């Protein structure tokens, strides 16, 4: 019995000593890790700026199969949030401030351990990106015990950051390199009614602007009892690669013509049917330039006459609001063309002996243009 008492006292003293030791340790921490990611800066920024991707790269999420992450409707940009719960505890995060393609500031809380988190993105050689992930905060008492036993906060948190950065590089390497471009050929698009917002945008920010505008258009349609009639699309009135600017209309197709009173920032419109060369891009938006180049090459090779009164149209068939993985995005690109002029056949007269001469019916040549169902 005395031995058991001594062992109990020893354990109690050890616990007290550990508590005193932990209590005297600094609760503040600053952790920083960097890695060069083998993907373009905007692609890396957009990936990390969407909290939905955290479950695919955060090492503590990847290594804990019991972890459950919850995502609200807003997971991208300022005010985005998410929360998680697993064997190791629960926490939440919010994005406080973003600077497009350059930095993201967030606030995280994990069972009482709070941290200000900052991501920065810098271009490097060969189109790669240096990502720096920094956290500064205060540990809870229990987390101080955990880090004290496991080599300190820099070792514990820093190791998690290092593993997570490796996961980001591996995931994005797959996501950005997995894509296909198919030039489908000449098609006809039927007319459609739509609501829109029109403005001038930097070309590289068009898809970001679309993620902001499309939910507004959807809400407008719901408020006014309108039914959507397909996927959102973007009309490029102009597309100037020299200045990097485009005049665009971000549109939501609706089931009927409407009239909107003056003063609204959302307007109505109608796109007349047109003939176009269609190209399908499956994959990240960073490959759009290549898809456009292949479309223009097809137009030139086939000696098709382009319609130059506007640039082109993109249907966001599967977009960022539908999926989080860049490799699963689908964009249909339509470059308007002038319809081929079909020559009118000249009637052929074949007189018959002893009969009245009658003209034969002209034969109209068939065209190779494929008729598409409206996708709007």
């Amino acid at each position: 019995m005395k031995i058991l008492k001594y062992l109990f006292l020893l354990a109690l003293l050890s616990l007290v000593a550990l508590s005193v030791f932990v209590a005297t340790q600094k609760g503040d921490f600053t952790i920083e890790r960097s890695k060069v990611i083998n993907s373009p800066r905007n692609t890396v920024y957009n990936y990390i700026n969407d909290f939905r991707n955290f479950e695919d790269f955060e090492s503590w999420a990847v290594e804990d199969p019991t972890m459950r992450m919850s995502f609200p409707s807003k997971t991208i940009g300022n005010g985005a949030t998410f929360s998680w719960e697993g064997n190791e505890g629960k926490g939440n995060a919010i994005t406080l401030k973003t600077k497009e393609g350059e930095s993201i500031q967030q606030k995280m809380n994990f069972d009482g351990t709070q941290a200000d988190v900052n991501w920065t993105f810098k271009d490097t050689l060969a189109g790669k990106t240096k990502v720096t992930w920094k956290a500064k905060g205060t540990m809870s008492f229990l987390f101080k015990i955990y880090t004290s036993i496991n080599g300190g906060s820099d070792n514990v948190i820093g190791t998690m950051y290092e593993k997570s950065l490796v996961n980001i590089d591996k995931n994005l390497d797959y996501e950005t390199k997995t894509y296909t471009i198919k030039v489908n050929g000449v098609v006809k698009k039927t007319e459609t009614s739509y609501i829109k917002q029109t403005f001038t945008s930097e070309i590289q920010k068009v898809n970001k602007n679309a993620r902001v505008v499309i939910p507004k258009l959807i809400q407008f349609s719901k408020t006014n009892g309108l039914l959507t009639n397909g996927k959102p699309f973007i009309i490029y009135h102009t597309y100037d690669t020299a200045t990097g600017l485009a005049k665009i209309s971000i549109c939501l197709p609706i089931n009927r013509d409407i009239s909107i009173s003056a003063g609204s920032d959302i307007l109505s419109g109608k796109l007349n049917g047109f003939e176009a060369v269609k190209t399908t891009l499956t994959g990240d938006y960073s490959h759009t330039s290549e898809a456009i180049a292949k479309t223009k090459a097809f137009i030139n090779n086939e000696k098709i006459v382009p319609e130059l009164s506007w640039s082109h149209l993109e249907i966001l068939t599967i977009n960022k609001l539908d999926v989080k993985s860049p490799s699963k995005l689908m964009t249909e690109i339509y470059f308007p063309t002038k319809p081929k002029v079909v020559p009118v056949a000249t009637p052929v007269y074949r007189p018959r002996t002893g009969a009245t001469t009658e003209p034969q019916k002209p034969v109209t040549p068939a065209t190779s243009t494929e008729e598409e169902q409206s996708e709007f």
Side-chain angles (χ1 to χ4, degrees):
M1 290 294 294
K2 286 185 177 180
I3 293 176
L4 291 175
K5 288 182 180 180
Y6 289 142
L7 290 175
F8 175 75
L9 284 172
L10 182 61
L12 182 61
L13 289 171
S14 298
L15 181 61
V16 171
L18 177 62
S19 299
V20 172
F21 172 76
V22 171
T24 59
Q25 299 303 301
K26 280 187 174 182
D28 297 337
F29 65 90
T30 300
I31 312 296
E32 182 175 320
R33 294 292 189 273
S34 296
K35 181 173 176 57
V36 174
I37 306 297
N38 189 33
S39 296
R41 179 163 56 93
N42 282 332
T43 298
V44 181
Y45 169 85
N46 289 330
Y47 184 73
I48 296 174
N49 194 33
D50 188 345
F51 275 138
R52 291 179 298 175
N53 293 314
F54 276 49
E55 64 182 343
D56 296 329
F57 73 76
E58 279 191 330
S59 63
W60 51 95
V62 174
E63 296 170 5
D64 183 0
T66 69
M67 183 171 289
R68 300 181 304 278
M69 291 192 171
S70 300
F71 302 99
S73 58
K74 184 173 178 58
T75 61
I76 300 172
N78 298 346
T81 60
F82 86 110
S83 59
W84 68 92
E85 185 173 354
N87 284 336
E88 302 298 326
K90 59 184 179 180
N92 56 75
I94 183 171
T95 298
L96 302 175
K97 184 179 180 181
T98 60
K99 189 172 182 181
E100 180 71 22
E102 296 184 18
S103 64
I104 302 171
Q105 294 178 22
Q106 298 166 334
K107 186 87 171 179
M108 290 196 176
N109 175 53
F110 177 68
D111 277 351
T113 295
Q114 297 187 355
D116 293 315
V117 178
N118 189 62
W119 300 82
T120 56
F121 308 88
K122 300 290 184 182
D123 287 322
T124 64
L125 297 176
K128 300 180 181 181
T129 308
K130 181 180 179 182
V131 178
T132 300
W133 189 1
K134 184 176 181 179
K136 185 177 182 180
T138 305
M139 293 180 284
S140 66
F141 182 76
L142 289 177
F143 196 62
K144 280 204 295 182
I145 294 177
Y146 180 80
T147 56
S148 297
I149 296 173
N150 291 279
S153 59
D154 188 78
N155 180 63
V156 172
I157 302 174
T159 299
M160 291 190 292
Y161 278 18
E162 289 165 7
K163 290 181 179 180
S164 299
L165 287 168
V166 169
N167 291 337
I168 291 171
D169 191 25
K170 180 179 66 175
N171 293 351
L172 277 178
D173 194 50
Y174 170 82
E175 291 293 342
T176 56
K177 291 181 179 179
T178 303
Y179 73 101
T180 59
I181 296 172
K182 180 182 179 182
V183 179
N184 306 93
V186 179
V187 299
K188 285 184 178 178
K189 296 302 298 173
T190 55
E191 67 178 23
T192 184
S193 300
Y194 58 85
I195 52 176
K196 66 177 180 177
Q197 279 195 340
T198 301
F199 51 90
T200 298
S201 168
E202 293 180 37
I203 293 174
Q204 66 176 6
K205 293 183 179 180
V206 168
N207 291 106
K208 175 196 172 186
N209 290 329
R211 290 198 300 270
V212 175
V213 172
I214 291 171
K216 292 181 180 179
L217 297 176
I218 293 173
Q219 184 58 47
F220 182 91
S221 67
K222 289 180 179 178
T223 302
N224 292 277
L226 303 173
L227 295 178
T228 57
N229 194 28
K231 288 293 186 177
F233 60 95
I234 303 171
I235 300 172
Y236 286 81
H237 305 285
T238 62
Y239 189 88
D240 191 340
T241 55
T243 62
L245 298 175
K247 183 180 179 181
I248 61 172
S249 290
I250 298 175
C251 309
L252 184 70
I254 54 176
N255 64 327
R256 58 187 173 87
D257 293 344
I258 63 169
S259 178
I260 299 177
S261 59
S264 173
D265 61 341
I266 294 177
L267 302 174
S268 61
K270 187 171 186 177
L271 185 67
N272 295 324
F274 65 98
E275 193 170 285
V277 172
K278 172 186 175 182
T279 295
T280 302
L281 165 64
T282 302
D284 188 61
Y285 295 131
S286 60
H287 305 294
T288 301
S289 296
E290 183 182 344
I292 289 175
K294 287 188 175 182
T295 308
K296 290 182 175 180
F298 178 87
I299 291 172
N300 291 333
N301 292 337
E302 297 297 319
K303 295 180 171 55
I304 297 171
V305 181
E307 170 58 64
L308 301 178
S309 59
W310 56 290
S311 178
H312 64 283
L313 178 145
E314 294 177 3
I315 302 178
L316 307 180
T317 309
I318 302 176
N319 57 70
K320 277 288 188 179
L321 299 176
D322 301 321
V323 297
K324 65 180 180 179
S325 301
S327 63
K328 295 179 180 178
L329 297 171
M330 181 180 289
T331 308
E332 295 179 358
I333 304 169
Y334 295 84
F335 268 81
T337 61
K338 291 184 177 180
K340 290 182 179 179
V341 177
V342 180
V344 177
T346 303
V348 178
Y349 295 91
R350 292 177 180 163
R352 290 180 298 172
T353 304
T356 303
T357 302
E358 293 182 357
Q360 292 184 342
K361 293 182 179 180
V363 178
T364 303
T367 65
S368 61
T369 300
E370 174 190 352
E371 180 78 30
E372 276 209 343
Q373 294 294 321
S374 174
E375 297 159 11
F376 296 114

